[in-house]
Amino acid sequence: MAWFGSAFGSKAKASTQSSPHTAVQSAPAPSVRPPVASSSNPERELRILELGSEMLDIARTHKSGMLSKQFYQDKIMDWSMKDHNFKVQMFRFVDAFPALTTPDMVHDHLVDYMTQPGVKAPPGMDLALKAGGVAKSLAAKTISGQITGMAKNFIAGTNAADALPMLSKLWKQGISFSVDLLGEACVSSAEADAYQAKYLDLVENLVGTASGWPASDRLEKDHVGIVPRVNVSIKVTSLCALFNPIAPESSTADFMKRATPIFEAAKRNGVLINFDMEQFELKDLTLDTFMHACDTHEFEAGLAMQAYLKSGVADAKRISEWAVRTGRVVTVRLVKGAYWDFETIHAEQEGWPCPVWHEKWQTDQCFEDMVEVFLDHCPTEPGQGGIKLALGSHNVRSIGAALAGLDKRGLPRESIELQMLHGMADQLKHAAEQMGLRVREYVPVGEMIPGMAYLVRRLLENTSNESWLKAGFLDNANTATLLADPASLAPAELKQDLVDIAAQRHGLSLADPKVGNGLPFYSEPLRDFAEDDQREAFGRAVAGAAVPSVANDRTVEQGVAMLDEAQAAFPAWRDFDPYLRSKVLTLTAQMMRDRRDELSGIMCKEARKAWREADADVCEAIDFCEYYARMAPSLTEPSRLGKFIGELDELWYQPKGVAVVISPWNFPLAICCGMTVAALVTGNTVVVKPAEQTPGIGKAMFDMISDALRQVGAPSGVLHFCPAPGETTGAALVRDPRVNVIAFTGSKAVGLNIIEAAGVTPEEQSHVKRVVCEMGGKNAVIVDASADLDEAVLGIRYSAFGFQGQKCSACSRCIVIDPEGPGGQRMKLFLERLGESTKTLVLGEATDPNADVSPVIDGEASGNIYRFIESARSEGLTELVGAKDFPETDIADLIAPHIFTGVTETSTIYTQEIFGPVLAVIHAKDFDEAMRMANGHAYKLTGGIFTRKPTHIDRAKREFRVGNLYVNRGCTGALVGRQPFGGFGMSGVGSKAGGPEYLMQFVDPRACCENTMRRGFAPEL
Ligand SMILES: Cc1cc2nc3c(=O)[nH]c(=O)nc-3n(C[C@H](O)[C@H](O)[C@H](O)COP(=O)(O)OP(=O)(O)OC[C@H]3O[C@@H](n4cnc5c(N)ncnc54)[C@H](O)[C@@H]3O)c2cc1C
């Protein structure tokens, strides 16, 4: 296997492999950083240059250590930095690696990733990819060894006991530590309990061992007192499965329940507890929780704060002022932030302003500004409240700036601490220690699976062109460049936030200067419940919302009278200015925006929608208005086909006539609005019959559209609101011969009945009715053998139980692949995590922001769902989760989430649509079987797959025949314009809502061919 070794072999071999490395080495020093142009404060800059140069000089004489040249020379890293496509696929493979339980799986996945388009495997690895038989296992073993080796660079052991010899060695070298427990996403209270036990174990037991180590003044004393020898880093999310900014009080309370014994033990043992900082969404809640913990418990406390956040300086001031005000001393570990890519991507996906700086120099500048704030609040004598600063950085410029800040204030070196990650920058740790600084290593311990996310973060960070370490120790940038003032790197023009250019960037619809804001459509952003203002305003609106009182009492005669008027209004509306029709929609969208929280409140109360669901419903309704408004005008405009001389061929569309809209209760605003405005904007007149359960929100919608119609001077009689029983008035409406188009969303039974009735054409009817019909789903999500279970558990839990499973897109069949059989390890692990995670959901009224699961729509629905639950029991299925697992409540129609296992393909709950919080989990032995099962249902609406095998993603795209397929995410929540929604088979007829063809269903095409030639002469010639 020499070929393989040469590419991925031992470090000794790798370091002598010259060509790829030489290529990197000979690359010019980073020219991305312009030379230092000016300095904001020459004296300060000079001092930083002195201090930084001193540290760099010492570091560069210290040969050993990771993230030196040797680290980067490792072939995987080396090739990753040369070939972006290889890096992406390799890091994806690394991420999937711990889930690959056999050499065959390892090899198959490696082949899959390395044969993706555009990927060029490094020399030697290409042969490994072709290996068969014994060579295949050997190749798998080699690559496994490489990845495990890489992980060991950064992760000190599987647990603290494992890491102890290393911690003791560090101490002897003059370096302190903070132990961090690596964890998978904590998805259940059971998992949070397990983390609590591990943290307690650390806090109780590390001290015993560490107390035997020799004393060290430098490591254990700062300028105002004692520095705890043992330092443990915790993540708030690992102690609370529902740490959710939408419900801050209960999140903090749940966290404190598990954290309090840890704080007490920390106090007893003199251990410092440091709160790590995670995603921006949790930042404010973490800060509040931290301050609450410090206000209520006495323990040595620390907190990580991130400088890549635009809010960095404000956050620094907030925590500093609190510390001084309350007389509390806390340590702040100032870091730049580990989730920059995630935050950038997530903000764009949500349509929110990006919370992190766009450019690296801004992060660096913010770091220095935050340093200044913290040093200004550093306690100068024992007993004084304030901030002790710890610098979590490997960037010598950033460190130098802080040291200069100390000098300026006359603070001694021991008043700050340097913290660096295990496995990184050993040279710098050595240099800092030589300069008399207190250095602490952040030491992660944990198993391979949870370790991978951490490892991938480190690999990404270290191979990034923005990495200071890479510039300093691989690219050998010169000292002046490495120590340049970040402010001097500011370009003349700052990058724009993606959200400000989102509409143009994505071009999701046509753009017409005469429609809306003249830009293409872009999704209405959801409320960001992490923002106090938004959350509080929403809560007030929900509390104050009044559901319009509407009786479903319109008779058949009244319905018929509406059709009379709609028919009479049609010609004028048909010939109305299409741009004014579009304006009706954009005006309506604006009215909804102005009232959005109130509209959500109406739905929370009337449709029992939880906060987020109600908010999403309003946003979707706005989106339908804005999207269709942009797509409609061009339809009436004749478009020329071809360029024949003497012949003008044109195509355009005209409205069909009278439309009847019959809408469901589960998206009582969005779907009702989408169908109504699609019909209206294309020039049809409309009679809307809302669901009997939700006429109130229907009325609110009707009033807003009517107002918009008035504003544009629309003829009267264009839109009618007909709250009425479906069996009588609804049935009569769809059967009326004057109706041209019926837009229906609802159950299969009613949908098929409408299709059948629409097919009957009495003598006096002058047209064939068009039915746009969306009926239902029995949607399956596959969990592949290499799936990321953190993602799969949360994605499936939300898809199955979000809005109590009352979405046609909801997941109701979960197909888990485990080659070992239904009792296999993979299946067991998934079921355990899904089950425990589901039990963590909170049941309550929809108006309560804490509630994850609220009552189903009404008593009839709950009776129906209970019958399915009974059928599952009587068929002998295993109730993995059920009512027994939740506290009893007396809230009517509140059905606990149910998960059944032992399901077969003939089980009732597997075959029938339930429309409630019931999930059937079935085992599949392999991917082929899973695909057959997934496709084995007449409904073809949504489907999902969690997998990290590229060929399985490709196959699912080709073979999983559903209207909307979701890969590695939940299967609900389609967005207008981005994920046009709708199925086929028994799920419905018609094209996708929120898609480019939807409006075509409300129009008839017309074509004209004009002979423009007169006596052999044509104008074009
Ligand atoms: C002891 C310790 C504890 C840590 N704990 C945490 C923690 O709790 N939470 C956390 O999030 N991180 C934490 N980190 C990780 C830390 O955020 C990263 O290691 C750090 O970002 C690397 O910064 P640097 O100064 O060493 O390197 P540099 O190379 O100077 O900075 C790299 C950083 O710059 C930022 N960046 C990269 N590109 C851009 C860009 N285009 N625009 C703007 N900014 C950019 C990113 O934050 C990136 O990580 C910790 C680090 C240490 C050393």
Side-chain angles (χ1 to χ4, degrees), residues 182-241:
L182 291 172
E184 288 164 285
C186 170
V187 300
S188 68
S189 297
E191 290 180 7
D193 291 343
Y195 279 115
Q196 183 205 33
K198 285 185 191 170
Y199 283 132
L200 274 173
D201 179 47
L202 281 181
V203 173
E204 297 283 10
N205 298 322
L206 266 179
V207 175
T209 315
S211 61
W213 300 345
S216 162
D217 270 3
R218 189 168 51 80
L219 296 182
E220 297 183 87
K221 283 193 188 138
D222 60 23
H223 64 305
V224 287
I226 300 291
V227 175
R229 186 174 278 201
V230 174
N231 180 314
V232 171
S233 293
I234 63 169
K235 289 194 173 48
V236 279
T237 53
S238 58
L239 289 170
C240 173

Side-chain angles (χ1 to χ4, degrees), residues 548-571:
S549 164
V550 179
N552 292 305
D553 60 359
R554 305 305 189 273
T555 60
V556 172
E557 292 69 31
Q558 286 172 308
V560 167
M562 291 179 195
L563 289 176
D564 291 342
E565 286 184 35
Q567 192 187 29
F570 174 64

Side-chain angles (χ1 to χ4, degrees), residues 74 116 422 618 731 888 905-906:
D74 179 280
Q116 288 303 298
H422 175 66
V618 181
E888 273 187 31
E905 287 177 80
T906 55

Side-chain angles (χ1 to χ4, degrees), residues 999-1019:
L999 295 182
M1000 308 299 271
Q1001 305 172 114
F1002 297 86
V1003 291
D1004 287 321
R1006 291 175 59 194
C1008 176
C1009 172
E1010 180 188 349
N1011 174 8
T1012 56
M1013 190 163 64
R1014 302 275 192 283
R1015 305 260 171 223
F1017 161 74

Side-chain angles (χ1 to χ4, degrees), residues 434-488:
Q434 295 283 301
M435 289 170 74
L437 287 156
R438 188 167 67 254
V439 183
R440 188 180 300 280
E441 191 164 296
Y442 181 90
V443 183
V445 294
E447 301 287 343
M448 267 292 243
I449 291 183
M452 279 303 132
Y454 178 82
L455 173 64
V456 170
R457 274 209 302 278
R458 294 286 81 81
L459 294 180
L460 277 173
E461 197 171 280
N462 288 310
T463 53
S464 154
N465 285 333
E466 301 281 16
S467 162
W468 188 93
L469 271 183
K470 178 172 169 284
F473 292 92
L474 177 69
D475 302 337
N476 283 324
N478 64 45
T479 303
T481 303
L482 290 170
L483 300 180
D485 179 2
S488 70

Side-chain angles (χ1 to χ4, degrees), residues 889-970:
T889 97
D890 52 7
I891 302 173
D893 307 322
L894 183 55
I895 303 181
H898 280 68
I899 300 178
F900 287 95
T901 62
V903 170
T904 70
E905 287 177 80
T906 55
S907 302
T908 307
I909 61 160
Y910 183 86
T911 56
Q912 305 292 309
E913 189 182 21
I914 303 173
F915 229 60
V918 181
L919 178 68
V921 184
I922 191 165
H923 164 260
K925 66 177 185 305
D926 56 24
F927 190 75
D928 288 337
E929 187 174 59
M931 199 55 80
R932 181 189 61 70
M933 288 172 166
N935 282 322
H937 204 286
Y939 283 126
K940 309 283 179 199
L941 189 51
T942 72
I945 177 162
F946 285 91
T947 180
R948 283 182 284 192
K949 193 161 193 311
T951 47
H952 285 183
I953 295 177
D954 288 347
R955 275 193 61 192
K957 285 182 185 171
R958 276 197 312 275
E959 297 171 25
F960 195 162
R961 296 184 194 280
V962 286
N964 288 70
L965 178 69
Y966 296 92
V967 180
N968 289 327
R969 50 154 284 175

Side-chain angles (χ1 to χ4, degrees), residues 277 306 336-338 358-360 363 393-395 461 468:
M277 191 60 81
Q306 297 155 328
K336 289 185 187 158
H358 303 303
E359 298 183 42
K360 170 72 164 55
T363 297
S393 173
H394 313 103
N395 180 325
E461 197 171 280
W468 188 93

